[in-house]
Amino acid sequence: DVKVTQSSRYLVKRTGEKVFLECVQDMDHENMFWYRQDPGLGLRLIYFSYDVKMKEKGDIPEGYSVSREKKERFSLILESASTNQTSMYLCASSWALEKDEKLFFGSGTQLSVL
Amino acid sequence: QQPVQSPQAVILREGEDAVINCSSSKALYSVHWYRQKHGEAPVFLMILLKGGEQKGHEKISASFNEKKQQSSLYLTASQLSYSGTYFCGTEASGTYKYIFGTGTRLKVLA
């Protein structure tokens, strides 16, 4: 079975801290994604990557950056955490989207910024 | 740009039917549907391709009208296990950018 692992289930940080959210997939997927989930807003795309060292902005990239140094790992970075970044963060991965491949999700990280 | 789903939330009794709609302002190449149970990761249900092809899963089926840029999910004879949040998802063709709808919370009561 495909496994997408997010390093933390719950995380509490202070305003202004630099925060790293890690995601690892074990199926050699080309594509990896970071979403945030907020009530009433669904899943919103922050950043995605279709290859190692490649990254593209999603719909809400402000305040975030990403890193993909290895194919299996995709990190989301909050340079200076703010309270409005309190949210559930979901990582996902897939094979080639042009072949209509589905996404596999991690269990999510609930981040609270105080 | 995010697809809009309706209704936002629905409560059903076991055995009742429901329809969840997904509308996009941009052309859809294909539509995926996912279900997320409380506290869990979203799980893929089915894919709908151009041509209006319907694909089913248990008593859940869906349709896709690319001209209207809409997809609908049909839940027949709901079971308690159908409770969760449903999302439609789609890729902006050729961009690798995969986005989801606003979500529909479904609660099935005994």
Side-chain angles (χ1 to χ4, degrees):
Chain A
D1 277 352
V2 173
K3 198 166 183 183
V4 180
T5 303
Q6 294 185 231
S7 53
S8 305
R9 186 73 178 94
Y10 299 96
L11 212 52
V12 180
K13 296 292 181 181
R14 295 257 179 223
T15 303
E17 277 193 81
K18 190 169 186 177
V19 181
F20 293 87
L21 302 183
E22 306 287 342
C23 176
V24 178
Q25 49 95 1
D26 65 357
M27 282 302 291
D28 204 35
H29 285 169
E30 292 98 341
N31 306 303
M32 296 189 76
F33 308 84
W34 275 106
Y35 297 90
R36 64 176 283 177
Q37 182 173 15
D38 301 287
L41 298 177
L43 297 167
R44 293 182 292 165
L45 181 63
I46 305 171
Y47 266 96
F48 62 103
S49 167
Y50 53 88
D51 201 351
V52 177
K53 297 191 187 289
M54 303 303 291
K55 57 187 178 185
E56 295 283 345
K57 293 180 180 179
D59 293 332
I60 52 165
E62 298 78 19
Y64 303 94
S65 63
V66 290
S67 172
R68 195 171 180 196
E69 295 297 317
K70 293 184 178 181
K71 193 173 186 180
E72 67 271 18
R73 187 180 296 269
F74 193 35
S75 303
L76 180 69
I77 304 156
L78 288 68
E79 295 290 341
S80 178
S82 63
T83 54
N84 62 13
Q85 292 178 309
T86 291
S87 185
M88 170 67 80
Y89 290 88
L90 286 163
C91 174
S93 69
S94 76
W95 281 291
L97 285 178
E98 62 267 27
K99 298 179 181 177
D100 290 311
E101 293 290 343
K102 61 187 177 185
L103 269 62
F104 294 86
F105 283 87
S107 298
T109 296
Q110 180 63 53
L111 174 68
S112 296
V113 183
L114 307 177
Chain B
Q1 187 174 355
Q2 185 178 22
V4 176
Q5 291 181 229
S6 62
Q8 278 193 320
V10 58
I11 300 175
L12 302 172
R13 292 280 177 192
E14 260 188 309
E16 291 182 338
D17 301 339
V19 180
I20 298 171
N21 300 302
C22 172
S23 295
S24 173
S25 59
K26 298 199 170 187
L28 295 173
Y29 170 69
S30 64
V31 177
H32 297 180
W33 284 94
Y34 292 77
R35 177 171 62 205
Q36 182 183 31
K37 299 201 174 184
H38 183 69
E40 298 181 9
V43 174
F44 173 80
L45 289 177
M46 66 185 71
I47 180 173
L48 285 302
L49 301 173
K50 268 189 171 179
E53 182 179 358
Q54 272 204 33
K55 290 183 177 277
H57 172 81
E58 300 171 348
K59 291 181 183 174
I60 300 173
S61 62
S63 63
F64 176 33
N65 186 325
E66 63 263 30
K67 284 186 180 178
K68 290 187 177 180
Q69 297 167 184
Q70 289 178 344
S71 178
S72 295
L73 189 71
Y74 307 95
L75 297 98
T76 306
S78 298
Q79 305 169 13
L80 295 175
S81 61
Y82 287 2
S83 293
T85 302
Y86 290 78
F87 295 100
C88 60
T90 187
E91 184 223 351
S93 185
T95 67
Y96 305 105
K97 183 179 178 183
Y98 194 94
I99 58 175
F100 286 90
T102 48
T104 297
R105 282 179 287 112
L106 182 90
K107 177 80 173 173
V108 181
L109 303 176

